[in-house]
C-alpha cells in the first residue's frame, strides 16, 4: 500500500475530526514571518511585510544639507472597510533578523487587517533652526467590524520575536509589529542641526 497516496486523505480526515469535536476554526489565518532577514546590514534598510487585507505601510527617510536645508516627510493613510475580527493573525521576527547591523533600519510587519504603520526619519543640517511638529503624519481608519457567530472576536492574535533579533544593532532602529485588526502605529525621528 502506498502511504504517500493516502496521506492527503488522512490529513483531511484529521482536520474534519478536529472541527467535528467543536473546535471552531477562525475564518482565516494571516501569518507574517521574517526569518534571518538582513543580519549585518549597513546603511539604510526598509522592510514592509504584511499578511491580510487593507494593510498600509511606509518607511520614509529624508536627509538635507545646506544653508536653508529642510528635510520633510509626509504620510497620509486612510482606510475604511469592514474587517473580520474572527481571523487569527501571527507576526513573527525570528533568528538573527537585523542583528549586528549599523545604520537606519525601519521594519513594518503586520498580520491581520486594516493596520497602518509608518517609520519616518528626517535629518537636516542647516544654517538656520527649524520648527518641528507631527503635522506631517496622518492616519485615519473607520472600521466596520464583523464579529464571529456568537458576537465576539474568536481569532488569536500573536506577536513573537527571537531574543537575537536586532541584537547588537547600532544607529536608528524603528519597528512596528502588529497582529490583529485596526492597529495604528508610527515611529518618527527628526534631527535638525543648525550649523
Amino acid at each position: 500500500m502506498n502511504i504517500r497516496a493516502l496521506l492527503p486523505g488522512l490529513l483531511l480526515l484529521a482536520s474534519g475530526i478536529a472541527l467535528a469535536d467543536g473546535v471552531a476554526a477562525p475564518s482565516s489565518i494571516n501569518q507574517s514571518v521574517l526569518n534571518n532577514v538582513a543580519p549585518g546590514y549597513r546603511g539604510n534598510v526598509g522592510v514592509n511585510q504584511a499578511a491580510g487585507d487593507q494593510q498600509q505601510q511606509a518607511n520614509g527617510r529624508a536627509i538635507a544639507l545646506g544653508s536653508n536645508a529642510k528635510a520633510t516627510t509626509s504620510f497620509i493613510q486612510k482606510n475604511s472597510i469592514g474587517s473580520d475580527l474572527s481571523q487569527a493573525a501571527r507576526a513573527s521576527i525570528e533568528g538573527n533578523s537585523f542583528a549586528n547591523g549599523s545604520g537606519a533600519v525601519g521594519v513594518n510587519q503586520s498580520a491581520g487587517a486594516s493596520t497602518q504603520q509608518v517609520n519616518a526619519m528626517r535629518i537636516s543640517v542647516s544654517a538656520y533652526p527649524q520648527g518641528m511638529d507631527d503635522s506631517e503624519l496622518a492616519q485615519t481608519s473607520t472600521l466596520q467590524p464583523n464579529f464571529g457567530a456568537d458576537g465576539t472576536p474568536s481569532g488569536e492574535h500573536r506577536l513573537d520575536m527571537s531574543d537575537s533579533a536586532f541584537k547588537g544593532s547600532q544607529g536608528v532602529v524603528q519597528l512596528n509589529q502588529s497582529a490583529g485588526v485596526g492597529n495604528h502605529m508610527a515611529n518618527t525621528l527628526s534631527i535638525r542641526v543648525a550649523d
Side-chain angles (χ1 to χ4, degrees):
M1 177 179 285
N2 187 347
I3 296 295
R4 289 183 186 185
L6 290 176
L7 190 57
L10 291 173
L11 291 176
L12 181 60
L13 178 63
S15 66
I17 291 170
L19 293 176
D21 287 340
V23 177
S27 62
S28 65
I29 298 173
N30 297 306
Q31 183 167 318
S32 175
V33 178
L34 295 170
N35 188 10
N36 290 317
V37 175
Y41 68 88
R42 299 285 181 259
N44 182 36
V45 176
V47 175
N48 295 318
Q49 183 188 45
D53 297 325
Q54 300 296 321
Q55 309 282 16
Q56 298 172 336
Q57 300 174 315
N59 279 300
R61 308 282 187 252
I63 299 173
L65 303 170
S67 60
N68 289 315
K70 182 177 181 181
T72 62
T73 58
S74 180
F75 302 95
I76 298 173
Q77 297 177 323
K78 295 182 180 183
N79 196 348
S80 179
I81 65 161
S83 295
D84 181 4
L85 298 180
S86 68
Q87 61 185 303
R90 176 178 176 255
S92 178
I93 299 176
E94 301 173 351
N96 292 319
S97 293
F98 311 105
N100 299 310
S102 66
V105 62
V107 178
N108 292 310
Q109 183 188 42
S110 180
S114 302
T115 293
Q116 298 169 323
Q117 299 173 320
V118 171
N119 290 315
M121 182 180 80
R122 301 173 292 205
I123 299 173
S124 63
V125 178
S126 175
Y128 304 100
Q130 301 174 25
M132 70 186 217
D133 59 36
D134 287 332
S135 64
E136 296 163 345
L137 173 66
Q139 296 176 323
T140 61
S141 181
T142 305
L143 297 178
Q144 300 158 356
N146 298 322
F147 291 97
D150 63 354
T152 60
S154 60
E156 176 188 29
H157 301 158
R158 179 176 167 178
L159 298 173
D160 297 308
M161 186 177 310
S162 82
D163 291 340
S164 58
F166 297 97
K167 187 176 183 177
S169 288
Q170 299 176 5
V172 177
V173 175
Q174 296 176 304
L175 169 65
N176 293 311
Q177 185 186 39
S178 72
V181 177
N183 298 300
H184 303 270
M185 309 167 92
N187 292 306
T188 61
L189 172 66
S190 184
I191 300 172
R192 294 181 173 155
V193 178
D195 186 29

